[in-house]
């Protein structure tokens, strides 16, 4: 639902944020991706795999079924997940799920201020969050908005997105291997091939067709599978490269090269772990009052698990203060 509201500067478009990839409106690329996946799977399991025999048949059937199911499950989770910043969900004053002004790049240079306050979501978000103009909400550790799942990719669904790319690449590779195997037997061992399969002639859904028809269909499917494998595997390779450096897609394409290292996820985690270790060393070195402990842990937001592990044995062995009853 899209509406307009009057402001001091005129009229602005307002609409609620997208909860997940099934929230209206859908994207044509999302529909196309679903159609290609369904058609690809049906043709492979109904037409192609019937011309495979022996141990290779069971190998192809099992591996292709596993990676096809994993691809569908990963895509479903990526589509249905809500990658919004947790502050939006927890903060009752935020505009999460409500109608709010849409992000207009021509009018608004930055929606999120220096102190990480989103002016559209009306709440303070994580430093890694970005406001997506298509979902109209802040995404935790925003990577990119994917039109093929009609949803944003962020920290909460990134691992499922990587799983989708890996499984789809492997599934395409299995289909390519199967088609090449069948084409080889069709072209060089046709008579022997049909005798092994127990067929007098090739058929599609019970209708007899010529070998040239089957070969043409297999070549078309092979070309589509190779194209799918190249596109998805290159995207997978890019994200594995980004994961290695601790960057998001947004960091890679939008940040200057000199600034990327400063915003690396691994560097941030190392600094955070270093601060925690420093606090542990200070606490372990001598008696620490509850007030001092609160002061040291307030800056990090909450008591970490590492600090808890150190404090539990200390509480058991440390003598009770004289004024404690």
């Amino acid at each position: 639902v899209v509406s307009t509201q009057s402001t001091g500067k005129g009229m602005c478009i307002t609409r609620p944020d997208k909860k997940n990839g099934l929230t209206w409106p859908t994207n044509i690329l999302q529909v196309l991706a679903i159609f290609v996946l369904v058609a690809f799977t049906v043709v492979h399991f109904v037409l192609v795999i019937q011309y495979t025999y022996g141990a290779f048949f069971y190998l192809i059937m099992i591996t292709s079924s596993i990676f096809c199911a994993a691809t569908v499950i990963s895509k479903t989770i990526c589509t249905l997940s809500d990658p919004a910043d947790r502050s939006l969900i927890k903060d009752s004053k935020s505009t999460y799920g409500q109608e709010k002004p849409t992000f207009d790049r021509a009018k608004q240079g930055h929606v999120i201020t220096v102190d990480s306050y989103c002016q559209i979501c009306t709440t303070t978000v994580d430093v890694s969050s970005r406001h997506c103009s298509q979902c109209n909400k802040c995404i935790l550790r925003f990577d990119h908005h994917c039109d093929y799942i009609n949803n944003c990719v962020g920290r909460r669904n990134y691992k499922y997105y990587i799983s989708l790319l890996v499984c789809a690449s492997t599934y395409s590779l299995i289909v390519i291997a199967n088609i090449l195997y069948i084409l080889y037997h069709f072209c060089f061992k046709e008579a022997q091939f049909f005798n092994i399969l127990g067929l007098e002639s090739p058929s599609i859904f019970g209708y007899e067709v010529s070998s040239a028809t089957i070969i043409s269909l297999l070549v078309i499917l092979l070309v589509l599978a190779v194209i799918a494998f190249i596109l998805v595997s290159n995207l997978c390779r890019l994200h594995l490269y980004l994961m290695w450096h601790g960057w998001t897609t947004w960091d890679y394409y939008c940040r200057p090269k000199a600034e990327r290292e400063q915003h690396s996820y691994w560097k941030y985690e190392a600094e955070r772990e270093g601060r925690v270790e420093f606090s542990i060393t200070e606490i372990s070195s001598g008696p620490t009052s509850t007030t001092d402990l609160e002061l040291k842990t307030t800056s990090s937001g909450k008591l970490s698990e590492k600090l808890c592990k150190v404090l539990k044995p200390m509480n058991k062995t440390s003598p009770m203060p004289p004024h404690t009853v």
Side-chain angles (χ1 to χ4, degrees):
V1 180
V2 179
S3 60
T4 58
Q5 69 179 18
S6 178
T7 62
K9 299 181 181 179
M11 303 294 290
C12 69
I13 299 176
T14 62
R15 61 176 173 84
D17 48 45
K18 290 171 65 70
K19 185 175 182 180
N20 53 45
L22 294 183
T23 307
W24 189 261
T26 57
N27 191 295
I28 186 63
L29 292 178
Q30 179 190 24
V31 178
L32 179 63
I34 295 173
F35 173 79
V36 169
L37 179 59
V38 172
F40 198 76
T41 302
V42 170
V43 171
H44 176 252
F45 282 99
V46 175
L47 173 63
V48 178
I49 210 166
Q50 66 173 325
Y51 294 109
T52 311
Y53 65 90
F56 191 71
F57 168 79
Y58 295 104
L59 177 63
I60 291 295
M61 176 62 80
I62 294 172
T63 54
S64 59
S65 298
I66 291 174
F67 283 100
C68 177
T71 300
V72 173
I73 292 172
S74 300
K75 178 175 172 55
T76 303
I77 295 176
C78 284
T79 303
L80 296 179
S81 60
D82 183 3
D85 190 295
R86 293 182 179 87
S87 301
L88 273 67
I89 304 173
K90 295 179 179 179
D91 190 357
S92 58
K93 297 181 181 180
S94 71
T95 56
Y96 180 72
Q98 305 174 14
E99 284 197 4
K100 49 191 169 186
T102 55
F103 174 52
D104 187 354
R105 294 183 185 278
K107 298 179 180 178
Q108 302 158 322
H110 298 282
V111 174
I112 301 177
T113 60
V114 180
D115 56 350
S116 299
Y117 180 81
C118 179
Q119 303 180 68
I120 293 180
C121 297
T122 63
T123 188
T124 301
V125 295
D126 190 81
V127 291
S128 64
S129 297
R130 298 286 179 273
H131 190 92
C132 175
S133 57
Q134 297 187 54
C135 292
N136 202 28
K137 63 183 179 183
C138 287
I139 308 299
L140 180 63
R141 188 161 168 74
F142 176 80
D143 189 87
H144 71 286
H145 183 91
C146 180
D147 290 330
Y148 294 99
I149 61 174
N150 195 31
N151 199 8
C152 273
V153 177
R155 182 173 183 175
R156 301 176 72 179
N157 62 353
Y158 188 74
K159 57 184 177 182
Y160 302 109
Y161 181 74
I162 294 297
S163 173
L164 171 61
L165 297 180
V166 172
C167 293
S169 301
T170 309
Y171 180 42
S172 302
L173 193 60
I174 292 171
V175 173
I176 291 171
N178 192 20
I179 295 175
L180 290 175
Y181 171 84
I182 296 172
L183 284 175
Y184 169 77
H185 284 79
F186 256 107
C187 296
F188 299 101
K189 301 179 180 180
E190 183 175 352
Q192 181 184 357
F193 186 51
F194 286 114
N195 289 334
I196 295 174
L197 292 174
L199 300 174
E200 296 181 358
S201 61
S203 62
I204 299 177
F205 301 111
Y207 296 96
E208 292 187 4
V209 294
S210 64
S211 298
T213 303
I214 294 293
I215 291 175
S216 299
L217 290 175
L218 289 174
V219 169
I220 292 173
L221 185 61
L222 177 63
V223 171
L224 294 176
V226 169
I227 293 173
F229 174 73
I230 292 174
L231 294 176
V232 179
S233 61
N234 278 334
L235 188 58
C236 182
R237 180 180 58 83
L238 170 64
H239 279 277
L240 292 176
Y241 171 79
L242 295 177
M243 287 176 62
W244 177 263
H245 289 279
W247 301 330
T248 63
T249 303
W250 188 91
D251 290 330
Y252 186 72
Y253 286 104
C254 298
R255 288 192 191 279
K257 189 174 181 179
E259 294 183 11
R260 289 179 199 162
E261 291 295 337
Q262 301 300 321
H263 295 85
S264 171
Y265 178 75
W266 306 124
K267 182 178 180 181
Y268 168 78
E269 285 295 305
E271 290 178 350
R272 186 182 68 82
E273 294 296 331
R275 289 193 297 270
V276 171
E277 295 292 346
F278 178 73
S279 299
I280 292 174
T281 304
E282 283 189 331
I283 294 171
S284 304
S285 61
T288 305
S289 65
T290 307
T291 308
D292 293 337
L293 176 60
E294 289 175 352
L295 289 174
K296 290 175 182 176
T297 57
T298 301
S299 59
S300 60
K302 60 181 181 179
L303 193 64
S304 68
E305 294 182 2
K306 286 191 174 182
L307 288 175
C308 291
K309 291 178 181 178
V310 170
L311 292 175
K312 282 181 180 179
M314 287 176 60
N315 291 336
K316 292 179 181 179
T317 57
S318 301
M320 297 181 69
H323 59 273
T324 305
V325 230

